[in-house]
Amino acid sequence: MADRDASEPPGPAAAAELRNFLSEVPAPAAVGHRIVHSGPHLTGHTLIDARVRALLADVADLAPLHVPPALPVVDAARELLPDVPHVACFDTVFHKDLPAQTRTYAVPERWRAEYGLRRYGFHGLSYSWALQRTAQALRRPVDNLQVVLVHMGGGCSACAVRNGRSVDTTMGLTPLEGLVMSRRSGSLDPGALLWLQRRHGLSTDELDDTLHRHSGLLGLSGTSGDTRDLVRARAEGDAAAALALATFTLSCRRGIASMAASLDRLDALVFTGEIGEDQPEVREEICSALTVLGVRGGLLVPELKDLMREGLRRIDQAGRGVPVLVVATGETQQIAAETRRVLGM
């Protein structure tokens, strides 16, 4: 019915922006909030009360780019709409039943039990939406699908789904693990971090800032974390942009292949997220080098406006290999669906 987008993370003006927006739209019956990390104590989408709000604050440091900016918006919305139910919709819930061997890190039991060190997985709202659309497109029930889903945007991850359930994913305790991302490094040799601290004296804050904000495609290219910029720069002979894209697409292929290792078969490869939607060059470079999985290049390139209108497109050449689909990002729609479900609407 109405929307309002902001390019910057929420700040002190968030309450005023939200108040202005609410003054222009019909009164909502409920509010759904995307919260990236649920932590260990919340395993389902849930109504936000004082207890839940406190638990969210306690795990905010596990997703420092996402949860801290989200909480002031939660507070502002609850203050502006005190008589309306507010629901926290978590990206981690989709992965809540990860098998033990998937969610467990190979560290001492004390770290796992006392510190809660484990893999959670993220982008679950996006994956939930993409999985349902994939099942519709292939005309198969969700519980009879084995697929690899790839969310590529500012953050990037891949997920293996077996019979409707997440059984593996590339992100872990935090959204920093896994694939190379726009400004985030993805996985690094943990020994490299120890070495940077010991040999070069980098502080925890320096590592945190660099790995979250100045690495990934931006760190590799030195110019941009946006694949659109890098594709143009590569065409103009920019070697750093070419290296950034080559490293990124290799990282995606590695992630997809590792997810396929948790499946018996590959019924489809599915792209979503901003890069997944509108960067055909990246999709092509990933798929053309995945013949080992039965995936082929020569992908169709749908018009973005058609994809956004229809919601999904199958882009492989029929009969040439594993089906490849693009699903328009649906996190907002999934939040609405989960909010209604929690409230019994």
Side-chain angles (χ1 to χ4, degrees):
M1 297 177 68
D3 60 35
R4 180 76 56 83
D5 296 312
S7 59
E8 297 298 321
E17 292 171 358
L18 184 56
R19 183 183 295 106
N20 291 339
F21 177 65
L22 291 171
S23 70
E24 301 168 2
V25 298
V31 181
H33 298 267
R34 181 196 178 201
I35 307 293
V36 166
H37 211 308
S38 65
H41 302 297
L42 299 169
T43 58
H45 310 300
T46 186
L47 277 168
I48 300 174
D49 55 18
R51 170 183 169 272
V52 169
R53 176 62 179 80
L55 289 172
L56 296 180
D58 190 53
V59 300
D61 60 342
L62 289 177
L65 296 184
H66 302 89
V67 177
L71 294 182
V73 180
V74 170
D75 295 340
R78 293 178 72 202
E79 182 177 344
L80 291 168
L81 297 165
D83 300 320
V84 169
H86 293 256
V87 175
C89 300
F90 297 108
D91 274 303
T92 46
V93 166
F94 186 73
H95 309 286
K96 67 183 179 64
D97 294 321
L98 283 173
Q101 68 270 24
T102 300
R103 68 175 184 266
T104 304
Y105 287 114
V107 295
E109 194 272 343
R110 180 187 173 191
W111 287 17
R112 291 179 275 120
E114 188 173 329
Y115 303 150
L117 195 61
R118 54 156 290 187
R119 174 172 280 107
Y120 283 92
F122 302 95
H123 290 135
L125 295 164
S126 176
Y127 288 144
S128 295
W129 180 262
L131 180 61
Q132 295 295 329
R133 306 288 84 71
T134 299
Q136 293 172 5
L138 298 179
R139 297 182 180 179
R140 295 177 58 175
V142 167
D143 59 7
N144 189 33
L145 275 181
Q146 297 199 34
V147 299
V148 172
L149 307 172
V150 188
H151 179 104
M152 297 189 299
C156 302
S157 71
C159 173
V161 174
R162 177 199 291 265
N163 303 333
R165 296 175 63 179
S166 170
V167 294
D168 205 353
T169 189
T170 55
M171 283 181 167
L173 175 73
T174 77
L176 189 58
E177 186 180 359
L179 310 184
V180 172
M181 305 177 221
S182 177
R183 294 170 178 261
R184 280 175 262 168
S185 64
S187 292
L188 282 176
D189 175 359
L193 303 180
L194 298 174
W195 177 76
L196 287 168
Q197 287 182 311
R198 291 171 176 164
R199 183 70 174 267
H200 297 282
L202 270 66
S203 68
T204 302
D205 287 343
E206 287 177 290
L207 290 173
D208 185 299
D209 184 58
T210 301
L211 296 176
H212 278 102
R213 297 177 175 85
H214 305 288
S215 298
L217 289 168
L218 176 62
L220 285 164
S221 69
T223 56
S224 177
D226 190 320
T227 55
R228 294 168 296 186
D229 296 335
L230 298 177
V231 167
R232 287 191 292 267
R234 181 178 62 181
E236 295 168 359
D238 186 327
L243 174 62
L245 287 168
T247 304
F248 176 72
T249 54
L250 174 60
S251 171
C252 291
R253 293 196 301 272
R254 285 172 169 167
I256 292 165
S258 69
M259 293 302 97
S262 290
L263 303 176
D264 299 321
R265 63 181 189 273
L266 186 56
D267 294 329
L269 174 62
V270 183
F271 292 100
T272 190
E274 295 91 340
I275 298 172
E277 289 172 0
D278 67 4
Q279 200 69 69
E281 297 89 347
V282 169
R283 296 194 301 256
E284 181 65 31
E285 287 169 36
I286 291 171
C287 291
S288 62
L290 275 178
T291 54
V292 68
L293 296 181
V295 177
R296 298 288 186 272
L299 301 175
L300 306 175
V301 181
E303 290 289 337
L304 184 59
K305 64 178 185 298
D306 295 334
L307 172 63
M308 302 309 289
R309 183 181 67 252
E310 298 169 14
L312 62 88
R313 276 291 183 93
R314 182 168 172 175
I315 58 172
D316 60 290
Q317 301 280 357
R320 289 192 57 198
V322 170
V324 179
L325 292 89
V326 179
V327 177
T329 309
E331 288 164 315
T332 302
Q333 297 96 313
Q334 192 65 34
I335 290 168
E338 300 296 356
T339 298
R340 292 187 182 100
R341 191 172 292 116
V342 167
L343 299 176
M345 291 182 173

